[in-house]
Amino acid sequence: MALLVPSVPKLSLRVAYALEAARLWLGGKPPAVQVAALPWRRATGGRIEILMATSRDTGRWVLPKGWPQKKRSLSETAACEAWEETGMLGRITTKAVGSFFYRKRLDSGLHRRVRVTVFPLAVSGQAETWPENGQRELRWFSPEEAARHVHEPELAELLRNADVMKRLA
Protein backbone atom coordinates (compact mmCIF):
# COMPACT_ATOMS: atom_id res chain seq x y z
CA MET A 1 0.00 0.00 0.00
CA ALA A 2 1.55 3.31 -1.06
CA LEU A 3 0.86 6.52 0.79
CA LEU A 4 0.30 9.53 -1.43
CA VAL A 5 1.67 12.72 0.09
CA PRO A 6 0.62 15.96 -1.61
CA SER A 7 3.25 18.62 -2.09
CA VAL A 8 2.36 21.47 0.26
CA PRO A 9 4.35 24.69 -0.28
CA LYS A 10 4.52 25.75 3.40
CA LEU A 11 5.29 22.27 4.75
CA SER A 12 8.25 22.38 7.13
CA LEU A 13 11.24 20.16 6.40
CA ARG A 14 10.76 18.29 9.68
CA VAL A 15 7.18 17.37 8.71
CA ALA A 16 8.24 16.51 5.14
CA TYR A 17 10.89 14.08 6.40
CA ALA A 18 8.42 12.53 8.86
CA LEU A 19 5.95 11.99 6.01
CA GLU A 20 8.70 10.44 3.87
CA ALA A 21 9.60 8.06 6.72
CA ALA A 22 5.95 7.07 7.07
CA ARG A 23 5.66 6.54 3.31
CA LEU A 24 8.64 4.18 3.36
CA TRP A 25 7.40 2.39 6.48
CA LEU A 26 4.08 1.72 4.69
CA GLY A 27 5.91 0.04 1.81
CA GLY A 28 6.56 2.95 -0.53
CA LYS A 29 9.42 2.62 -3.00
CA PRO A 30 12.60 4.43 -1.90
CA PRO A 31 13.32 7.57 -3.92
CA ALA A 32 15.91 7.59 -6.68
CA VAL A 33 19.02 9.67 -5.96
CA GLN A 34 20.33 12.66 -7.89
CA VAL A 35 22.85 15.39 -7.10
CA ALA A 36 22.71 19.11 -7.84
CA ALA A 37 25.14 21.98 -7.82
CA LEU A 38 24.13 25.26 -6.19
CA PRO A 39 26.18 27.71 -8.29
CA TRP A 40 26.68 30.94 -6.39
CA ARG A 41 28.73 34.13 -6.53
CA ARG A 42 29.16 37.27 -4.52
CA ALA A 43 27.81 40.29 -6.41
CA THR A 44 28.53 43.96 -5.88
CA GLY A 45 27.76 45.02 -2.35
CA GLY A 46 28.62 41.55 -1.06
CA ARG A 47 25.21 39.99 -1.67
CA ILE A 48 24.95 36.38 -2.82
CA GLU A 49 23.49 35.43 -6.20
CA ILE A 50 22.35 31.97 -7.28
CA LEU A 51 22.55 30.75 -10.89
CA MET A 52 19.44 28.98 -12.15
CA ALA A 53 18.91 27.33 -15.53
CA THR A 54 15.75 26.36 -17.33
CA SER A 55 15.08 22.67 -17.81
CA ARG A 56 15.24 21.52 -21.42
CA ASP A 57 11.83 19.83 -21.41
CA THR A 58 9.55 22.03 -19.26
CA GLY A 59 11.37 25.38 -19.17
CA ARG A 60 11.08 25.54 -15.37
CA TRP A 61 13.88 27.13 -13.34
CA VAL A 62 16.09 24.44 -11.79
CA LEU A 63 19.56 23.83 -10.39
CA PRO A 64 21.98 21.86 -12.58
CA LYS A 65 21.47 18.24 -11.51
CA GLY A 66 21.91 14.67 -12.63
CA TRP A 67 22.38 11.03 -11.72
CA PRO A 68 25.43 9.84 -9.73
CA GLN A 69 28.35 8.81 -11.93
CA LYS A 70 30.67 5.86 -11.44
CA LYS A 71 34.20 6.74 -10.34
CA ARG A 72 33.09 10.23 -9.22
CA SER A 73 32.04 11.40 -5.79
CA LEU A 74 28.58 12.94 -5.44
CA SER A 75 30.05 16.44 -5.21
CA GLU A 76 32.29 15.85 -8.26
CA THR A 77 29.23 14.68 -10.18
CA ALA A 78 27.36 17.85 -9.16
CA ALA A 79 30.27 20.00 -10.42
CA CYS A 80 30.29 18.05 -13.68
CA GLU A 81 26.54 18.63 -14.12
CA ALA A 82 27.02 22.36 -13.52
CA TRP A 83 29.64 22.47 -16.28
CA GLU A 84 27.61 20.33 -18.71
CA GLU A 85 24.37 22.28 -18.24
CA THR A 86 25.59 25.85 -17.60
CA GLY A 87 29.31 25.99 -18.34
CA MET A 88 30.00 27.15 -14.79
CA LEU A 89 33.43 26.46 -13.32
CA GLY A 90 34.48 26.82 -9.71
CA ARG A 91 35.11 25.17 -6.38
CA ILE A 92 32.56 22.56 -5.23
CA THR A 93 32.26 21.68 -1.55
CA THR A 94 32.24 18.04 -0.49
CA LYS A 95 29.60 18.72 2.18
CA ALA A 96 25.99 19.03 1.05
CA VAL A 97 23.91 21.97 2.29
CA GLY A 98 20.65 20.04 2.08
CA SER A 99 18.36 18.05 -0.15
CA PHE A 100 14.90 18.20 -1.68
CA PHE A 101 12.40 15.88 -3.31
CA TYR A 102 10.76 16.20 -6.72
CA ARG A 103 8.82 14.04 -9.14
CA LYS A 104 10.72 13.20 -12.33
CA ARG A 105 8.63 12.42 -15.37
CA LEU A 106 10.00 9.31 -17.06
CA ASP A 107 9.92 8.56 -20.80
CA SER A 108 7.10 6.10 -20.07
CA GLY A 109 4.94 8.97 -18.78
CA LEU A 110 5.13 7.68 -15.21
CA HIS A 111 6.70 9.72 -12.41
CA ARG A 112 9.53 8.68 -10.08
CA ARG A 113 10.14 10.30 -6.72
CA VAL A 114 13.72 11.62 -6.60
CA ARG A 115 15.77 12.96 -3.70
CA VAL A 116 18.34 15.54 -4.81
CA THR A 117 21.37 16.27 -2.62
CA VAL A 118 22.67 19.83 -3.11
CA PHE A 119 26.36 20.84 -3.11
CA PRO A 120 27.44 24.52 -3.24
CA LEU A 121 29.63 25.54 -6.17
CA ALA A 122 31.55 28.82 -5.70
CA VAL A 123 31.61 30.04 -9.31
CA SER A 124 34.91 31.43 -10.58
CA GLY A 125 33.97 31.69 -14.26
CA GLN A 126 32.18 30.23 -17.23
CA ALA A 127 33.63 28.04 -19.96
CA GLU A 128 33.56 29.34 -23.51
CA THR A 129 31.81 26.17 -24.70
CA TRP A 130 30.00 23.37 -22.87
CA PRO A 131 27.81 20.42 -23.90
CA GLU A 132 24.38 22.04 -23.42
CA ASN A 133 25.35 25.56 -24.52
CA GLY A 134 22.33 27.29 -26.06
CA GLN A 135 19.84 24.67 -24.81
CA ARG A 136 18.92 26.45 -21.59
CA GLU A 137 18.33 29.97 -20.39
CA LEU A 138 20.67 30.98 -17.55
CA ARG A 139 20.01 33.74 -15.04
CA TRP A 140 21.48 34.97 -11.76
CA PHE A 141 18.94 35.54 -8.97
CA SER A 142 19.03 36.66 -5.36
CA PRO A 143 18.28 33.66 -3.10
CA GLU A 144 14.76 34.99 -2.46
CA GLU A 145 14.09 35.48 -6.20
CA ALA A 146 15.43 32.00 -6.95
CA ALA A 147 13.12 30.54 -4.28
CA ARG A 148 10.12 32.25 -5.89
CA HIS A 149 10.96 30.81 -9.32
CA VAL A 150 11.34 27.12 -8.38
CA HIS A 151 8.42 24.68 -8.20
CA GLU A 152 9.80 22.41 -5.46
CA PRO A 153 8.78 23.67 -1.99
CA GLU A 154 11.75 22.07 -0.23
CA LEU A 155 14.20 23.62 -2.69
CA ALA A 156 12.54 27.01 -2.16
CA GLU A 157 12.94 26.59 1.60
CA LEU A 158 16.61 25.66 1.14
CA LEU A 159 17.20 28.78 -0.99
CA ARG A 160 15.48 31.00 1.61
CA ASN A 161 17.46 29.49 4.49
CA ALA A 162 19.72 32.22 5.88
CA ASP A 163 22.02 29.68 7.59
CA VAL A 164 22.64 27.94 4.26
CA MET A 165 23.46 31.26 2.58
CA LYS A 166 25.88 32.18 5.41
CA ARG A 167 27.69 28.85 4.93
CA LEU A 168 28.35 29.65 1.27
CA ALA A 169 30.82 32.35 2.16
Side-chain angles (χ1 to χ4, degrees):
M1 173 174 142
L3 176 64
L4 297 175
V5 179
S7 184
V8 180
K10 298 292 182 184
L11 197 61
S12 77
L13 285 178
R14 182 175 282 167
V15 172
Y17 285 120
L19 288 173
E20 178 66 11
R23 189 183 72 74
L24 292 173
W25 184 77
L26 291 170
K29 187 174 184 177
V33 174
Q34 284 190 324
V35 295
L38 177 65
W40 68 277
R41 69 181 182 188
R42 198 164 292 284
T44 54
R47 51 189 181 84
I48 289 179
E49 292 181 326
I50 306 295
L51 180 81
M52 303 292 289
T54 55
S55 70
R56 290 187 295 177
D57 53 350
T58 65
R60 294 182 309 136
W61 290 103
V62 297
L63 293 177
K65 65 182 178 306
W67 303 106
Q69 299 171 0
K70 290 181 181 177
K71 299 185 181 180
R72 284 198 172 120
S73 69
L74 294 178
S75 60
E76 289 169 339
T77 299
C80 185
E81 291 296 329
W83 173 76
E84 288 176 4
E85 295 179 14
T86 67
M88 291 299 139
L89 304 168
R91 183 179 47 83
I92 193 91
T93 63
T94 57
K95 186 174 180 185
V97 290
S99 64
F100 66 94
F101 288 97
Y102 83 104
R103 290 176 29 154
K104 176 155 184 71
R105 184 181 161 92
L106 305 174
D107 292 339
S108 65
L110 298 175
H111 288 88
R112 177 79 197 266
R113 188 167 168 79
V114 179
R115 180 179 184 202
V116 182
T117 303
V118 180
F119 296 90
L121 174 75
V123 173
S124 58
Q126 187 175 30
E128 290 186 26
T129 61
W130 61 93
E132 297 180 17
N133 190 3
Q135 298 179 27
R136 302 168 185 272
E137 183 181 344
L138 308 178
R139 191 180 306 164
W140 290 97
F141 293 101
S142 71
E144 182 60 37
E145 289 173 313
R148 283 195 306 267
H149 280 84
V150 299
H151 289 249
E152 299 81 11
E154 293 169 339
L155 176 55
E157 189 171 335
L158 180 73
L159 293 168
R160 286 187 181 105
N161 188 318
D163 289 334
V164 169
M165 294 304 129
K166 284 180 191 173
R167 283 193 277 167
L168 295 181

